[in-house]
Amino acid sequence: MGAGALAALRHAAPWSGVLCLNYHRIGSGAESVFDRGLWSADEESFDAQVRFLCSHFDVVAPPDLDGILKRRRGRHVLITFDDGYRDNYTAAFPILKSHGAVATFFVATGFIDDPALPWWDEIAWMVRTSTKGGLPASRWLAGPVPFDDPDREAAVRTCLRAFKSMPAADHAEYLEHLAGATGSGRCPDGPGATLWMTWEMLREMRSAGMTIGGHTVNHPVLARLPQPAQRDEIVACGRRLAEELGEPMRYFSYPVGGLDAFDAGTRACLRDTGVHYAFSYYGGYRTFDDWDDMDVRRIAIESELKRRALRAIATLPWLFGRSRRLRRTRDTT
Ligand SMILES: [Zn+2]
């Protein structure tokens, strides 16, 4: 669609409501040995995206939602980040500040407290640093997984998908299996130590007007846990945020965030814990008529997104529901 057509549509078919965009990492992941699916935009693209959003929309933060939902008019955009990667502070934060824009950062407190490589980055590392030609079929891999593309992206995706489809009880054994079968061993601690933001960084961002929210402690898919374990993840996350930031956890995003990643028990627990708004991750946006405090929908931003595509999302957000691309991104984290 051309820029002129989009501009015409913006006037002809205006939406009203709350459009939330979600990012993970800012920078270039093209050469990374870790999970490249996590990079949402490089610095130049992110800068252009924030400039566009600030000039066309009301870029707001979760504390603004109470008033927005009372007034029930206008087009509002929330910029959000999940997980707590350090480039959110080193790369995204300066760009946001330069535009006077606010954003929300949902952090898994376990990554901040005990920095280590998460399973998705470690699996990518094991595959990419392997000197083998591929992986044999196994209890977890239905067929052989060749390392035949130059960047091994397909093999990484296959190994990540296998992790997500097995019971949580098998995860540790699967990682050990991959360590042996790739010949890479387990990733040493080094890269994990500087991968995440620190509490000091988060406090500085909050002082500059950013919002910090919860994303559990250990990043599990909450709906797959028994109710007491869900509660432990949510309550402990809220407790660490309160201890470090001096304010209760009012905003939360569901790890993975698909419709099946949270359930009625998750919602009830979040309400009991004092969370005002919880954010999902399966695409789409919310109008004032279909608003749901515990399922504020978000659209994934991906690194290959072209400038015009962001204009399309912001102009016609209802088209960006559960597309194939969004499902793939959602599957990543
Ligand atoms: Zn996440």
Side-chain angles (χ1 to χ4, degrees):
M1 189 180 299
L6 274 173
L9 268 167
R10 207 157 32 237
H11 294 292
W15 57 272
S16 67
V18 179
L19 170 65
C20 299
L21 305 177
N22 188 242
Y23 297 79
H24 283 89
R25 305 195 66 171
I26 299 297
S28 174
E31 304 292 320
S32 176
V33 290
F34 300 125
D35 184 353
R36 296 176 188 174
L38 273 291
W39 272 272
S40 311
D42 61 24
E43 278 130 309
E44 191 188 345
S45 303
F46 184 63
D47 184 67
Q49 290 169 8
V50 175
R51 179 181 298 113
F52 167 76
L53 293 169
C54 288
S55 61
H56 289 84
F57 301 94
D58 198 3
V59 176
V60 299
D64 301 319
L65 287 173
D66 292 346
I68 289 167
L69 292 169
K70 278 199 191 86
R71 292 190 294 275
R72 293 174 60 86
R73 63 173 182 272
R75 291 184 296 175
H76 309 276
V77 171
L78 269 91
I79 299 171
T80 72
F81 285 79
D82 277 6
D83 293 353
Y85 280 98
R86 187 166 293 189
D87 53 54
N88 294 184
Y89 173 81
T90 57
F93 180 43
I95 292 170
L96 290 160
K97 272 195 296 189
S98 75
H99 291 283
V102 289
T104 307
F105 298 84
F106 296 104
V107 299
T109 57
F111 297 160
I112 312 299
D113 280 332
D114 184 17
L117 216 56
W119 59 264
W120 54 87
D121 280 330
E122 186 172 19
I123 288 174
W125 178 88
M126 289 192 283
V127 170
R128 288 211 171 90
T129 58
S130 175
T131 54
K132 305 273 170 67
L135 290 167
S138 64
R139 196 176 130 202
W140 296 284
L141 300 168
V145 181
F147 296 162
D148 52 4
D149 52 327
D151 61 4
R152 299 187 180 175
E153 187 63 21
V156 169
R157 294 288 134 218
T158 302
C159 293
L160 293 177
R161 264 198 309 276
F163 184 101
K164 280 175 279 200
S165 60
M166 70 184 63
D170 285 3
H171 285 164
E173 201 183 336
Y174 175 62
L175 291 177
E176 288 300 329
H177 165 75
L178 286 181
T182 56
S184 304
R186 298 297 297 262
C187 186
D189 284 342
T194 53
L195 196 61
W196 307 104
M197 290 187 279
T198 64
W199 288 113
E200 198 52 50
M201 292 171 187
L202 289 163
R203 280 190 283 270
E204 184 187 334
M205 291 162 80
R206 196 204 38 182
S207 298
M210 306 296 151
T211 301
I212 313 299
H215 195 49
T216 73
V217 176
N218 298 301
H219 206 281
V221 178
L222 286 167
R224 298 222 189 115
L225 296 179
Q227 189 61 28
Q230 287 202 38
R231 182 166 293 273
D232 288 348
E233 282 283 345
I234 292 167
V235 169
C237 174
R239 187 176 60 239
R240 287 300 294 135
L241 286 171
E243 285 168 355
E244 294 291 343
L245 305 176
E247 61 188 17
M249 176 174 73
R250 296 192 180 92
Y251 314 105
F252 185 88
S253 77
Y254 302 108
V256 182
L259 271 171
D260 56 354
F262 56 104
D263 56 23
T266 324
R267 288 167 173 262
C269 181
L270 288 170
R271 287 194 190 281
D272 291 349
T273 312
V275 166
H276 295 194
Y277 300 105
F279 295 74
S280 57
Y281 190 50
Y282 57 89
Y285 79 117
R286 286 286 181 200
T287 68
F288 297 116
D289 294 328
D290 75 346
W291 186 261
D292 180 342
D293 287 349
M294 292 294 121
D295 182 3
V296 184
R297 295 171 64 167
R298 296 185 298 171
I299 291 177
I301 300 298
E302 288 199 332
S303 58
E304 63 264 40
L305 186 80
K306 297 287 181 283
R307 195 167 296 195
R308 191 168 289 171
L310 183 69
R311 289 173 186 266
I313 287 173
T315 306
L316 310 164
W318 55 87
L319 293 182
F320 295 84
R322 278 172 277 168
S323 71
R324 190 168 57 82
R325 171 173 293 185
L326 292 172
R327 263 205 308 279
R328 200 192 76 206
T329 305
R330 188 201 66 195
D331 285 348
T332 306
T333 48

